[in-house]
Amino acid sequence: MRVTGTGHASMRIDTAAGSILCDPWVNPAYFASWFPFPDNSLLDWETLGQVDYLYVSHLHRDHFDAKHLRDFVTKDATVLLPEFPTSEMADELRALGFTKFLEAPNEQVVELPGGLKIMIQALTSPTDGPIGDSSLWVEYDGVRLLNQNDARPTDLTVFAELGHVHAHLLQFSGAIWYPMVYELPQAAKTAFGKQKRERQFDRTWRYIDDLKADHVFPIAGPPCFLDDALWQFNDIHGDEGNIFPDQSVFLSEYAKVGGTNGIVLLPGSVAEVTTSGATTTHPQPVEEFFANKKAHLEEVRERKRGVIEAEKASWRHPEIDVLAGMKSRIEPLLDESIYLAKGVGGPVRFDLVGTDDAGRETVESIVVDFPGKAVRPYADEKVRYRFRTERALIEHLLHIGEVDWVNSLFLSCRFSAARIGQYNEFVYAFFKCLSTERLQYAEGWYDEHERSTDAEDITLGDWVVQRRCPHLKADLTRFGIVDGDQLTCQLHGWKFDLPSGRCLTSVGHKIRAARTQTPTP
């Protein structure tokens, strides 16, 4: 099995029974904030796009690059489609010209012509947004590969049971806006960033240990930030709280926990994977490339300046009444929402920054009032969440009818945020679901989980706790760590106070816990 690195989470898998192109991403994503790192725009995409199969793991725009899929991937390719609860991915691919689809039943092995086998695991929690993420398992002639990209399943048992895996490709770096955009003292940002970075690596080590593959390939990150306003987010400034470590840092950290089987794929690297080993060739020495990382980024930044400026020029839509547009888009969804509105539990404020005719800064504050089921001007009340961003970005979201503001505006990092109290996942779940189809699915998902009970208990240290994490049902026998009276679920880093059962990371999500009874002497 030949694996060609094509940047970020993208790869081309070649076997004698067919070729699969996975998640090709080349064009900037999230308001021209994210670019692939290392740069992959100079690859021979005309050739790379001539494949038998296309697999897109999910709709995040650093995986689903509509322009590139339209222009460079053959429409003769059969799409390997995850079993998602909505038809959005299939609809978008059909709009791009794809006509052949293999709808893979979830977690079922499908044998393709020539003996090529695949299995797709689809994740369907609203927090996996937009309504889905997935992983692809491939087998040919006894060689097995798992492309986990940035999916976060509760465990990898379903793949391990299919036989020993020879190549495991998975995320290790950050893909979020926290803590960088929060209005906090720099010391606090650094401390929170260090915690986030450590959790990312801990989760990666656990997945690697679960599968015990022969070879581990760090993929799906980090992006790079080429806009001057976001340049500080690149991990080139000696910031120990930076959440975007690169592949060379992965190798260094992996070695500290005994990892010796890591393989980095640069764009154009080729790994020949067999049941007995892997041979890799690179377009340039890997160590040399990362030693010159800053120079690479500076060169690409200059090359992409025109692209960024063209993107920025497309955002402004002064003809749009933002308040009226937000009311029209959001209020009908607030009326439909039960669980998400209750979960948010208070008003959320957007401060929209623009300029008047004289070039002076203006700020329009709009509140999404979840209890009141209304979008209205800010009335000086206390709010739990506040987002400050350019008015033009909201104009653009309304102009294009974007149904997922999280995986567009928020991932762009082109905003600042403040909150009172704990993280609230329902805020972000709602802003991923700005369509009736998405909202109804999310409401149904939360309703099902609210009504379900988790009767099984386990013992962790001096505590008896429910086996499944209240957040996303991770198995705490594998991901739970107890330190004194506090439990941490290492899958997402959520923490719980065991004496009270209270979640320390977010509102809601109380855990069932009791001290073990001390045996009578």
Side-chain angles (χ1 to χ4, degrees), residues 350-405:
F350 286 82
D351 290 341
L352 310 182
V353 181
T355 55
D356 61 18
D357 293 338
R360 294 170 299 209
E361 181 179 278
T362 62
V363 179
E364 180 182 7
S365 295
I366 295 174
V367 163
V368 180
D369 183 348
F370 284 85
K373 303 294 184 77
V375 176
R376 55 176 172 76
Y378 175 57
D380 294 325
E381 72 266 44
K382 183 179 290 187
V383 296
R384 296 190 178 192
Y385 266 79
R386 175 172 56 78
F387 301 110
R388 181 182 178 91
T389 190
E390 292 180 51
R391 180 186 181 88
L393 300 185
I394 303 298
E395 290 175 352
H396 187 70
L397 293 174
L398 294 170
H399 175 73
I400 65 175
E402 177 61 63
V403 299
D404 184 351
W405 288 16

Side-chain angles (χ1 to χ4, degrees), residues 244-296:
F244 299 109
D246 62 34
Q247 295 88 333
S248 67
V249 177
F250 167 87
L251 291 180
S252 176
E253 294 298 316
Y254 190 31
K256 294 178 183 177
V257 295
T260 59
N261 61 342
I263 299 176
V264 170
L265 294 176
L266 300 175
S269 295
V270 177
E272 300 282 356
V273 182
T274 69
T275 56
S276 58
T279 303
T280 310
T281 57
H282 302 285
Q284 69 180 101
V286 172
E287 290 185 7
E288 176 183 299
F289 172 82
F290 285 101
N292 296 303
K293 175 181 178 179
K294 185 177 180 182
H296 171 79

Side-chain angles (χ1 to χ4, degrees), residues 1-7 10-15 43-44 47-48 145 167 169 215 217 263-274 277-286:
M1 189 179 293
R2 176 183 301 139
V3 182
T4 302
T6 47
S10 177
M11 72 202 74
R12 174 171 163 150
I13 302 167
D14 284 275
T15 73
L43 292 175
D44 180 7
T47 300
L48 290 167
L145 173 150
L169 300 97
H215 308 288
F217 297 78
I263 299 176
V264 170
L265 294 176
L266 300 175
S269 295
V270 177
E272 300 282 356
V273 182
T274 69
T279 303
T280 310
T281 57
H282 302 285
Q284 69 180 101
V286 172

